[in-house]
Amino acid sequence: MSSMLGVLRSQIPHVPHRFLSSRPVRVVRVSHVLPYRATNTSTAVLKLSFFDLLYVTMAPVQNVLFYKGPSLPPFPSIVNSLQSSLATTLAAFPPLSGKLMTQDDGPSSREVVIDCSPGAVSPGVKFVEAEYRGGAVDGMRRLAGDEEHDAEVFALLVPEVGPAGQLPAPVLAVQVTRPAAGDGTVAVGVSMHHSACDGRSFWRFMSAWATAAREPGHHLVQPIFDREQVIRDPRVQQLTRKSKQRFATNAPVDAFRFPPADMARQRRRTFWLGAGEIQSLKQRLCRQGSGIIVEPLSTFVAVSSLVWTSIVRAKSTMDHADDDCYFLLSADIRRRLRPPVDENYFGNCVMGCLARATVADLSRDGDDGLVCAASAIQRAIREDLEDPMANLEHRLALRHGLPADRVTVMGSSNQFRPFETDFGWGAPSRVEMVSMTVMEEVVLRGAPDGGVQVSVALGRTHMEAMTSNFRQDGVHIRQGELSACKGLLKTLHGVIVWG
């Protein structure tokens, strides 16, 4: 055990054997990793901002990364490397070793904070070692490349940080899983409390951790965590004070109140768009939408338009042609606050943009429906982000009243590069967000060679029609295992889909 860890306590969880044997993932060992060295923090308690408080009651940000191939070292070496580099990384990210908790802030105010005191940090970050026992010898390799998501198993590949909204709770937990039989595949699962990070911050941590593992001794730049020092827009500060008063009365403060996903009624599938196909899609949209679409057209808007129209057409009939449908996306507003937020800031700093269109508009023939979708998304981004704090409480109240079955939630961004998370064994073969918590959700990720990964969660009865709509919109879809997809991306201008 590396002395770098300072203290690393291990234990075998006391779980009945009959329960363990019935689960495809069995926990083998639970350890706790402490920061490599004591770090100087400006305060033992990190106060959260309004943007953080929106996510206190929501599920954590959970991602699983699959690695496979001959470059993988033996599992004990993987565990040792991940633990040692995690200890190094936590020294630069001290709040991630702490705990989320509430504390009184006056007679009528209660706030949620990250406790970074020695007592909160001393247990360390939970590090779970597990085995996948499902399927045949190559079961985990197939899990990493199957056409359809096995969402129930994916949920067992990320560690728990406690029930959503229940405090106190750890900020971070890590899990590494290997196949019980065979070798050559490993899954790294990470859970981070959403009130501590947005997507940009999450992948910044992952990049730093991977760098520490791949390049021992590399100096990691510590982000800025102090919300009060960085987020100085007076309107944000006012909303933070109001949120504390709401917590004092146990009133919820959340980003949106959609019902949780019913896993029995949901399917998940991942699409890959190659760089050539994306460029072709942009050209089609700009040609058909001349004078309507603002150029240059971003990859995010082009891909989002394709997914949104495909979903709406799969779900709707012309009997509901006049119904409104909505596309809810989260946009980074660090540079849009006044004064702007430092680029080195670690925490939540996103705000929702809501696009609206009718079923009839998105169901127009040819590329006309795509143009309507792209125009609506561009308009929402332009209007909602011109001044993201303007009438914010009113906009949040309107969002709470939206019919959940007509809202497509977009999470993450193609600007994130999770496939660059190389711990020294090469790039991951597959990366998935496990915490897709609503019935209808889309996650965009930057993919190799300029492509985009699109993961879709949708009602079971609509997934096949949604895929068919991709084809009908002129997108060539190839099915197959992810390992084959990544090789094809280098030579094909097309979309590759799991499922």
Side-chain angles (χ1 to χ4, degrees), residues 6 31 156 180 413 415 495:
S31 307
L156 300 176
S413 167
Q415 294 185 3
V495 173

Side-chain angles (χ1 to χ4, degrees), residues 80 140 153 213 270 273 283 356 381 384 396 407 433 445:
N80 183 65
M140 191 164 174
V153 174
T270 296
L273 294 111
Q283 291 172 352
R356 179 199 307 250
I381 293 173
D384 290 346
L396 288 175
V407 181
M433 178 182 282
R445 298 281 175 77

Side-chain angles (χ1 to χ4, degrees), residues 2-223:
S2 171
S3 60
M4 173 179 277
L5 300 181
V7 177
L8 180 63
R9 289 185 289 277
S10 302
Q11 64 187 52
I12 304 297
H14 297 287
V15 182
H17 178 73
R18 65 181 182 276
F19 178 72
L20 289 176
S21 62
S22 65
R23 292 163 63 93
V25 177
R26 183 177 77 93
V27 173
V28 176
R29 181 176 292 106
V30 178
S31 307
H32 292 82
V33 179
L34 290 169
Y36 168 51
R37 62 182 183 277
T39 54
N40 294 322
T41 56
S42 58
T43 177
V45 173
L46 181 65
K47 297 185 178 183
L48 301 186
S49 77
F50 167 74
F51 300 121
D52 301 314
L53 296 174
L54 289 172
Y55 298 98
V56 168
T57 60
M58 293 186 63
V61 179
Q62 296 178 309
N63 286 276
V64 60
L65 301 87
F66 289 91
Y67 297 84
K68 61 183 180 181
S71 61
L72 277 179
F75 189 71
S77 298
I78 290 175
V79 170
N80 183 65
S81 173
L82 289 176
Q83 290 178 335
S84 298
S85 55
L86 178 60
T88 300
T89 310
L90 290 174
F93 292 75
L96 302 189
S97 302
K99 285 185 171 53
L100 215 69
M101 58 171 288
T102 59
Q103 67 175 23
D104 290 334
D105 186 41
S108 60
S109 179
R110 180 181 300 162
E111 60 185 350
V112 181
V113 301
I114 298 179
D115 186 355
C116 307
S117 66
V121 172
S122 61
V125 171
K126 183 170 69 173
F127 189 101
V128 179
E129 298 169 53
E131 290 182 344
Y132 175 68
R133 302 162 60 114
V137 174
D138 64 343
M140 191 164 174
R141 183 181 294 270
R142 293 178 59 188
L143 181 68
D146 271 355
E147 297 175 348
E148 197 91 3
H149 292 210
D150 192 332
E152 292 183 358
V153 174
F154 279 9
L156 300 176
L157 298 178
V158 292
E160 296 181 356
V161 290
Q166 182 173 308
L167 302 179
V171 176
L172 175 69
V174 173
Q175 179 172 324
V176 57
T177 306
R178 65 175 177 182
D183 209 349
T185 306
V186 69
V188 178
V190 181
S191 298
M192 191 179 298
H193 208 290
H194 206 330
S195 58
C197 72
D198 54 17
R200 177 173 173 174
S201 296
F202 180 94
W203 290 110
R204 175 171 185 163
F205 164 75
M206 294 298 296
S207 176
W209 183 17
T211 299
R214 190 177 64 250
E215 305 175 31
H218 181 89
H219 174 68
L220 299 178
V221 177
Q222 180 169 316

Side-chain angles (χ1 to χ4, degrees), residues 56-57 139 213 235 244 262 282 299 313 360 388 397 411 446 458:
V56 168
T57 60
R235 294 169 298 179
K244 293 178 183 180
D262 182 351
K282 289 181 180 180
T299 294
R313 293 172 181 178
L458 193 61

Side-chain angles (χ1 to χ4, degrees), residues 136-397:
V137 174
D138 64 343
M140 191 164 174
R141 183 181 294 270
R142 293 178 59 188
L143 181 68
D146 271 355
E147 297 175 348
E148 197 91 3
H149 292 210
D150 192 332
E152 292 183 358
V153 174
F154 279 9
L156 300 176
L157 298 178
V158 292
E160 296 181 356
V161 290
Q166 182 173 308
L167 302 179
V171 176
L172 175 69
V174 173
Q175 179 172 324
V176 57
T177 306
R178 65 175 177 182
D183 209 349
T185 306
V186 69
V188 178
V190 181
S191 298
M192 191 179 298
H193 208 290
H194 206 330
S195 58
C197 72
D198 54 17
R200 177 173 173 174
S201 296
F202 180 94
W203 290 110
R204 175 171 185 163
F205 164 75
M206 294 298 296
S207 176
W209 183 17
T211 299
R214 190 177 64 250
E215 305 175 31
H218 181 89
H219 174 68
L220 299 178
V221 177
Q222 180 169 316
I224 299 173
F225 295 95
D226 191 336
R227 275 70 169 154
E228 295 178 315
Q229 172 190 345
V230 175
I231 302 182
R232 291 176 290 147
D233 189 312
R235 294 169 298 179
V236 179
Q237 296 172 344
Q238 181 183 17
L239 287 172
T240 301
R241 290 190 291 269
K242 286 186 177 181
S243 298
K244 293 178 183 180
Q245 295 169 355
R246 290 178 63 84
F247 275 112
T249 60
N250 294 317
V253 179
D254 51 12
F256 49 82
R257 302 172 189 168
F258 294 157
D262 182 351
M263 299 292 291
R265 296 174 47 239
Q266 186 188 66
R267 292 173 67 181
R268 301 183 183 185
R269 187 173 287 179
T270 296
F271 301 81
W272 284 70
L273 294 111
E277 184 58 46
I278 294 170
Q279 184 61 29
S280 175
L281 178 62
K282 289 181 180 180
Q283 291 172 352
R284 288 166 47 199
L285 282 166
C286 291
R287 182 171 57 250
Q288 188 69 20
S290 178
I292 301 174
I293 291 178
V294 178
E295 299 185 43
L297 180 65
S298 70
T299 294
F300 178 87
V301 171
V303 175
S304 297
S305 304
L306 177 62
V307 179
W308 189 22
T309 54
S310 296
I311 290 175
V312 169
R313 293 172 181 178
K315 293 172 53 182
S316 306
T317 68
M318 294 314 293
D319 293 337
H320 302 88
D322 294 331
D323 287 352
D324 283 331
C325 45
Y326 306 88
F327 191 81
L328 179 61
L329 62 97
S330 295
D332 190 310
I333 59 172
R334 283 167 171 80
R335 304 306 301 168
R336 296 179 181 270
L337 294 179
R338 295 293 178 265
V341 173
D342 193 293
E343 293 294 317
N344 203 30
Y345 171 70
F346 188 102
N348 286 285
C349 197
V350 296
M351 187 49 58
C353 300
L354 186 65
R356 179 199 307 250
T358 65
V359 171
D361 285 340
L362 299 187
S363 301
R364 291 183 183 180
D365 294 337
D367 290 336
D368 288 344
L370 290 171
V371 169
C372 288
S375 176
I377 294 172
Q378 283 188 329
R379 182 168 56 253
I381 293 173
R382 182 173 61 252
E383 294 177 354
D384 290 346
L385 296 188
E386 181 178 3
D387 182 356
M389 300 305 299
N391 301 315
L392 180 58
E393 290 180 283
H394 175 67
R395 288 193 282 131
L396 288 175

